[in-house]
Amino acid sequence: MTNPVLVEVLRGEVVESAHRGAISVVDADGRTVWEIGDAGQPVFPRSAVKAIQALPLVESGAADAYGFGDRELALACASHSGEPQHVDLAASMLAKAGLDKEALECGAHWPSSHDATIELARSGGWPNALHNNCSGKHAGFLCTCVHLGVAPSGYVKAGHESQKLVRDAMQSVTGAAQRTELCGTDGCSIPTYAVPLRSFAHGFAKIATGVGLDPKRAAAAKRLLSACMAEPFLVAGTGRADVPLMQAAPGRIFVKTGAEGVYCAAIPELGFGIALKCDDGAGRAAEVMIAAVLSRLLRADATLAARLDELARPGIESRVGAKVGLLQPGGALLS
Amino acid sequence: MTNPVLVEVLRGEVVESAHRGAISVVDADGRTVWEIGDAGQPVFPRSAVKAIQALPLVESGAADAYGFGDRELALACASHSGEPQHVDLAASMLAKAGLDKEALECGAHWPSSHDATIELARSGGWPNALHNNCSGKHAGFLCTCVHLGVAPSGYVKAGHESQKLVRDAMQSVTGAAQRTELCGTDGCSIPTYAVPLRSFAHGFAKIATGVGLDPKRAAAAKRLLSACMAEPFLVAGTGRADVPLMQAAPGRIFVKTGAEGVYCAAIPELGFGIALKCDDGAGRAAEVMIAAVLSRLLRADATLAARLDELARPGIESRVGAKVGLLQPGGALLS
């Protein structure tokens, strides 16, 4: 099945590039609400499922034991930009468990934020693992290990208790088996498993509503999504799409980007979970897709839909700041 | 027409993302040698045609008047990484015409090279228009204006003599009309015109062979392509794909990348021009495509083809440097 074009890149009046993809919107009972393209295709969710991967942090009691509030829980679900607030918070989470950055196994990279990179270089600094966009998630894994009395070393490996807990949460929430033959390694060294897009959408409908989850898991899920919606900057960073998307309707929209053009999202008031992937892995297109899908699903609120439509049409500028093009939803995503 | 998948992105054993595109290989007489997908689609060439856009610099006599050799001509055809060598050379070209960076109308941006950005920030510096990846091309435009006695101000505008010369060269070499309704503005503020991919391929076959060009233009074209093949670092920069591609067979392969997944290339010994575009605009995929196409066309040289095949399969690493995936040619590009 060839997925349809969902996003067009215009320069002047000409379509310069185009992005294809698949989208799945599912309710908590598993019923398909809206589907475009092959929503049954197995997709690596990458960072889009960090809110599910953070369930053991809350369910184990570690989050309470270390006094984590919305800020820490949001960072545990984040692909942050490595700005000072993110880095400091990740360090403080580790410190609560008696650890420091040396315990992180995610690797170091310069901050995703260009401005943060410039500032770090200007100050004579170098990046460490705290700057890794996944350091909050890894801090969560480590805190869970320490709280449970599990030796943290090797916590990124598939056979470690930490990843077993993550895998159990993922399978239980999405209802999809995590199969070894569909396992890859994420950029931060943990396993990632390809499962159907539809299963992720169903999973996010469940964690947004609590339907189909035991009460403890439902409470943990609600706490994590609420934390992300309360602290969108900590989930992403300055200028990143997830921030204005969640700020467009505080507490009503949860979104999380993943590498290679993935989004998982939820609209609690409608009880819908959303998962999408841009075929070619382009984040710029996935951002347009999620904004357009949210606009369509929330069109009963005209002001909100208009704001989301605006986010679905980001401009392209020349190096002197003139608007020379834009991205826009196309084909089946046109409303 | 739906273009076929030409590049697969693998994580572990799973295809995580895929890129579609079109490819045209044409000889100097305009005969199609090899074609995949819709090679008749109008495509913005962006920076892939800088060697054609630099023809007036040589043909006007400006290059000789200012004593430009391979290094300056390569930079005039470059999308450089803003490394100190690039920046200094662009400044020296402008100085020959009595100008400085204030004359550039391309806008400033931090160097494309991450390392150069870090070094610039560390030294307390800020980017200026010389760091713009197009500053060599713009220096060429400006030198041409000064040499011809044309006031340089506004040289990026479609109605300026500078862009008229560029447009004439483009139309004459590619044989395709540059139509106002298919005009966009490039990132560096000059006009860019969408014409069929096939026309670019034919144009590069002509400038690689001189066939169909008047002797003066043929000589200028040969000088520009030779300069790029002699100085690949100046055409691109550290770690950029165009460098190892041209270094793989010094003087035998010309390649030039353009934004949004475009490549133009030539193989003088075969008399072939090549143009391709990745539908979704991904540079990573266009790099795989051009390496795979060159490998196929040059397979008579087994050692060279093996090196090109290697370049067509770049690895993907985790943040700790483990190989977790790769890009590879797929479908019609599989040899």
Side-chain angles (χ1 to χ4, degrees):
Chain A
M1 172 171 189
T2 298
N3 289 325
V5 169
L6 298 179
V7 176
E8 296 174 334
V9 182
L10 270 80
R11 182 165 299 267
E13 304 296 315
V14 181
V15 175
E16 179 168 29
S17 300
H19 299 273
R20 295 169 183 273
I23 296 170
S24 173
V25 183
V26 175
D27 72 13
D29 295 323
R31 280 185 294 256
T32 291
V33 174
W34 187 25
E35 206 168 274
I36 301 177
D38 182 5
Q41 65 177 316
V43 161
F44 285 126
R46 308 292 300 275
S47 291
V49 291
K50 279 176 173 166
I52 302 177
Q53 294 172 325
L55 284 169
L57 171 65
V58 178
E59 293 171 354
S60 68
D64 284 334
Y66 299 123
F68 290 170
D70 280 350
R71 289 172 51 79
E72 290 82 2
L73 294 182
L75 198 75
C77 300
S79 297
H80 66 71
S81 296
E83 296 172 78
Q85 302 94 314
H86 303 119
V87 171
D88 294 347
L89 186 58
S92 81
M93 288 171 70
L94 290 169
K96 294 273 178 63
L99 299 173
D100 64 18
K101 64 180 184 294
E102 303 307 323
L104 292 169
E105 297 180 4
C106 50
H109 64 79
W110 285 91
S112 316
S113 157
H114 194 266
D115 287 349
T117 288
I118 298 302
E119 286 314 305
L120 183 58
R122 228 184 252 304
S123 71
W126 292 93
N128 59 51
L130 292 168
H131 296 90
N132 186 306
N133 74 90
C134 300
S135 69
K137 175 179 74 175
H138 283 248
F141 291 158
L142 284 163
C143 288
T144 306
C145 288
V146 172
H147 178 70
L148 293 175
V150 172
S153 174
Y155 71 91
V156 296
K157 299 289 180 195
H160 191 279
E161 180 64 17
S162 174
Q163 295 309 317
K164 286 185 191 166
L165 290 170
V166 168
R167 201 157 53 243
D168 288 348
M170 285 293 297
Q171 293 190 135
S172 141
V173 170
T174 64
Q178 305 223 305
R179 294 157 54 196
T180 308
E181 69 271 25
L182 293 180
C183 181
T185 303
D186 214 322
C188 68
S189 295
I190 71 163
T192 180
Y193 296 84
V195 311
L197 213 45
R198 206 177 276 141
S199 302
F200 294 122
H202 187 200
F204 274 87
K206 287 164 70 181
I207 68 169
T209 58
V211 173
L213 302 178
D214 73 56
K216 185 178 168 187
R217 174 152 290 172
K222 185 172 183 182
R223 201 166 145 192
L224 287 163
L225 288 205
S226 298
C228 293
M229 293 190 284
E231 299 286 353
F233 168 79
L234 292 173
V235 180
T238 305
R240 297 266 304 281
D242 291 14
V243 179
L245 284 169
M246 288 200 272
Q247 284 175 340
R252 297 172 58 198
I253 293 173
F254 166 82
V255 296
K256 181 68 191 69
T257 188
E260 291 292 328
V262 176
Y263 260 95
C264 287
I267 306 176
E269 69 197 62
L270 298 177
F272 295 165
I274 305 161
L276 63 83
K277 175 164 168 77
C278 172
D279 287 359
D280 59 68
R284 67 178 184 179
E287 291 168 9
V288 169
M289 291 179 198
I290 191 66
V293 168
L294 290 167
S295 169
R296 174 78 73 93
L297 296 173
L298 288 160
R299 61 185 158 186
D301 181 339
T303 308
L304 173 55
R307 171 64 180 143
L308 292 165
D309 282 340
E310 191 185 341
L311 294 172
R313 286 164 179 76
I316 297 173
E317 294 187 353
S318 74
R319 297 300 189 172
V320 295
K323 188 173 178 188
V324 296
L326 81 162
L327 280 78
Q328 65 182 19
L333 264 188
L334 275 180
S335 39
Chain B
M1 173 171 187
T2 298
N3 290 326
V5 168
L6 297 178
V7 177
E8 296 175 333
V9 182
L10 270 79
R11 182 165 299 267
E13 304 297 315
V14 181
V15 176
E16 180 168 28
S17 300
H19 298 274
R20 295 171 183 272
I23 296 170
S24 173
V25 183
V26 175
D27 72 15
D29 296 322
R31 279 186 293 257
T32 291
V33 175
W34 186 25
E35 205 168 274
I36 301 177
D38 181 5
Q41 65 177 316
V43 161
F44 284 127
R46 308 293 300 275
S47 292
V49 291
K50 279 176 174 165
I52 302 177
Q53 294 172 326
L55 284 169
L57 171 66
V58 178
E59 293 172 355
S60 67
D64 284 334
Y66 299 123
F68 291 169
D70 281 350
R71 290 172 52 80
E72 290 83 1
L73 294 182
L75 199 75
C77 301
S79 299
H80 66 70
S81 296
E83 296 172 78
Q85 301 95 312
H86 303 117
V87 170
D88 294 348
L89 187 57
S92 82
M93 289 171 69
L94 290 169
K96 294 274 178 62
L99 300 173
D100 64 18
K101 64 180 185 295
E102 302 308 322
L104 292 169
E105 298 180 4
C106 50
H109 63 79
W110 285 91
S112 315
S113 157
H114 194 266
D115 286 351
T117 288
I118 298 302
E119 286 314 304
L120 182 58
R122 228 183 254 303
S123 71
W126 292 93
N128 58 52
L130 292 168
H131 296 90
N132 187 306
N133 74 90
C134 300
S135 68
K137 175 179 73 175
H138 283 249
F141 291 159
L142 284 163
C143 289
T144 306
C145 289
V146 173
H147 179 70
L148 292 175
V150 172
S153 176
Y155 71 92
V156 297
K157 300 288 180 194
H160 191 280
E161 180 64 17
S162 175
Q163 296 309 316
K164 286 184 191 168
L165 290 170
V166 168
R167 200 157 51 243
D168 287 348
M170 285 293 298
Q171 293 190 135
S172 143
V173 170
T174 64
Q178 304 222 305
R179 294 158 55 197
T180 307
E181 68 272 26
L182 292 180
C183 181
T185 303
D186 213 321
C188 69
S189 295
I190 72 163
T192 180
Y193 296 85
V195 311
L197 213 45
R198 207 178 275 141
S199 302
F200 294 122
H202 186 201
F204 274 88
K206 286 163 71 180
I207 68 169
T209 59
V211 173
L213 302 179
D214 73 56
K216 185 177 168 188
R217 174 151 289 171
K222 185 171 183 183
R223 201 167 145 193
L224 287 163
L225 288 204
S226 298
C228 293
M229 293 190 283
E231 299 285 353
F233 168 79
L234 292 174
V235 180
T238 304
R240 298 266 303 282
D242 291 14
V243 180
L245 285 168
M246 288 200 272
Q247 284 176 339
R252 298 172 57 199
I253 293 173
F254 166 81
V255 295
K256 180 68 190 72
T257 188
E260 291 291 329
V262 175
Y263 260 94
C264 286
I267 305 176
E269 69 197 62
L270 298 177
F272 295 165
I274 305 161
L276 64 83
K277 175 163 169 74
C278 173
D279 288 359
D280 59 70
R284 68 176 185 180
E287 290 167 10
V288 169
M289 291 179 199
I290 190 64
V293 168
L294 291 167
S295 169
R296 174 79 72 94
L297 296 173
L298 289 161
R299 62 187 157 188
D301 181 339
T303 308
L304 174 55
R307 170 64 180 143
L308 292 166
D309 282 341
E310 191 184 342
L311 294 172
R313 285 163 179 78
I316 296 173
E317 294 189 351
S318 74
R319 297 299 188 171
V320 296
K323 187 172 179 188
V324 297
L326 80 164
L327 279 78
Q328 66 182 19
L333 265 187
L334 274 179
S335 41

